[in-house]
Amino acid sequence: ELKVEQNPLFLSMQEGKNYTIYCNYSTTSDRLYWYRQDPGKSLESLFVLLSNGAVKQEGRLMASLDTKARLSTLHITAAVHDLSATYFCAVPPMNRDDKIIFGKGTRLHILP
Amino acid sequence: EAGVTQSPTHLIKTRGQQATLRCSPISGHTSVYWYQQALGLGLQFLLWYDEGEERNRGNFPPRFSGRQFPNYSSELNVNALELEDSALYLCASRGLWGTSSYNEQFFGPGTRLTVL
């Protein structure tokens, strides 16, 4: 059964600092999604990573995928307060479109 | 293009009652997924509907059920409500396999269910 683990689950950091959130998954998959959730709100799609070595960047966020290591990272560069949110990675089982498995989420709190 | 919509935004029920939550997918999307996000438990997959049929369900008891209508909107019913059913219920939609962008799921704003 596919399991998805994120770490850390909670991160408090200063503005201007860099940090990385890690997402490990237990069985083969060909895609990985990163979502952002603000408190009380729904999930907003950030990145879709489709292949080994895929790297995508949007503003201060950069996501990468290593399918061989079953690892994705979400790197935050020079954090700003507006990035405070909970970030989820999600992985679908290989060749299946019935559901995607979410990590528990990383709650990111950026101090001004 | 309108996104996924859900109603109601908030729902307050008492133990033993039934709750009905509704979801309208993005136009052209045929698959609807339901997730439960309880405090501290992350997102748990509940149900998947496609073309009017239930295709898969997560590890939830039978009192969680639903259906998908011909217009692809969906309804989630929770019978015999228990306190631990209090959660944010999220609906997501996806287009036909291989046709929508990256086959990703797009989420609605959610329904906050509180069971007293």
Side-chain angles (χ1 to χ4, degrees):
Chain A
E1 183 183 331
L2 176 59
K3 294 188 189 305
V4 180
E5 291 187 358
Q6 283 182 243
N7 69 83
L9 296 182
F10 182 79
L11 179 57
S12 182
M13 55 193 290
Q14 295 280 346
E15 275 193 325
K17 299 289 187 183
N18 303 332
Y19 209 82
T20 301
I21 300 170
Y22 298 89
C23 175
N24 289 91
Y25 52 99
S26 60
T27 64
T28 303
S29 181
D30 58 354
R31 286 167 288 144
L32 187 139
Y33 306 98
W34 282 99
Y35 289 91
R36 168 181 171 149
Q37 186 179 38
D38 292 300
K41 306 288 186 181
S42 188
L43 274 71
E44 173 193 352
S45 178
L46 289 175
F47 299 110
V48 180
L49 302 170
L50 292 179
S51 61
N52 189 42
V55 177
K56 290 198 172 179
Q57 183 161 7
E58 180 76 32
R60 299 174 188 274
L61 300 177
M62 183 172 71
S64 66
L65 177 62
D66 182 342
T67 57
K68 293 179 182 177
R70 299 177 187 159
L71 170 68
S72 179
T73 61
L74 180 65
H75 187 72
I76 302 142
T77 302
V80 293
H81 180 67
D82 285 353
L83 291 178
S84 296
T86 299
Y87 293 86
F88 292 92
C89 65
V91 183
M94 187 72 173
N95 295 326
R96 291 180 63 177
D97 61 348
D98 55 351
K99 62 182 177 182
I100 53 178
I101 308 299
F102 284 81
K104 289 186 182 296
T106 296
R107 188 173 164 196
L108 179 62
H109 182 53
I110 298 171
L111 303 168
Chain B
E1 177 184 275
V4 178
T5 60
Q6 291 186 246
S7 64
T9 305
H10 294 90
L11 191 56
I12 299 175
K13 295 284 186 179
T14 56
R15 284 178 61 189
Q17 286 189 312
Q18 180 198 33
T20 298
L21 289 65
R22 295 180 178 83
C23 171
S24 290
I26 291 171
S27 177
H29 285 191
T30 59
S31 275
V32 170
Y33 299 79
W34 287 96
Y35 294 88
Q36 183 195 65
Q37 188 178 27
L39 199 61
L41 291 180
L43 275 91
Q44 305 293 321
F45 166 72
L46 257 169
L47 288 160
W48 171 41
Y49 290 96
D50 184 58
E51 296 287 352
E53 298 208 3
E54 181 182 304
R55 302 294 185 178
N56 202 0
R57 65 181 292 130
N59 295 324
F60 284 84
R63 57 191 186 82
F64 286 84
S65 65
R67 53 181 171 166
Q68 186 178 34
F69 299 99
N71 66 354
Y72 303 114
S73 67
S74 178
E75 198 172 83
L76 173 68
N77 294 295
V78 188
N79 294 320
L81 284 165
E82 301 179 1
L83 296 177
E84 54 264 33
D85 296 334
S86 294
L88 180 67
Y89 288 84
L90 291 166
C91 168
S93 74
R94 178 180 62 78
L96 286 173
W97 182 258
T99 60
S100 62
S101 297
Y102 307 117
N103 301 307
E104 67 183 294
Q105 296 180 18
F106 297 87
F107 284 82
T111 293
R112 172 83 51 193
L113 173 63
T114 301
V115 182
L116 304 174

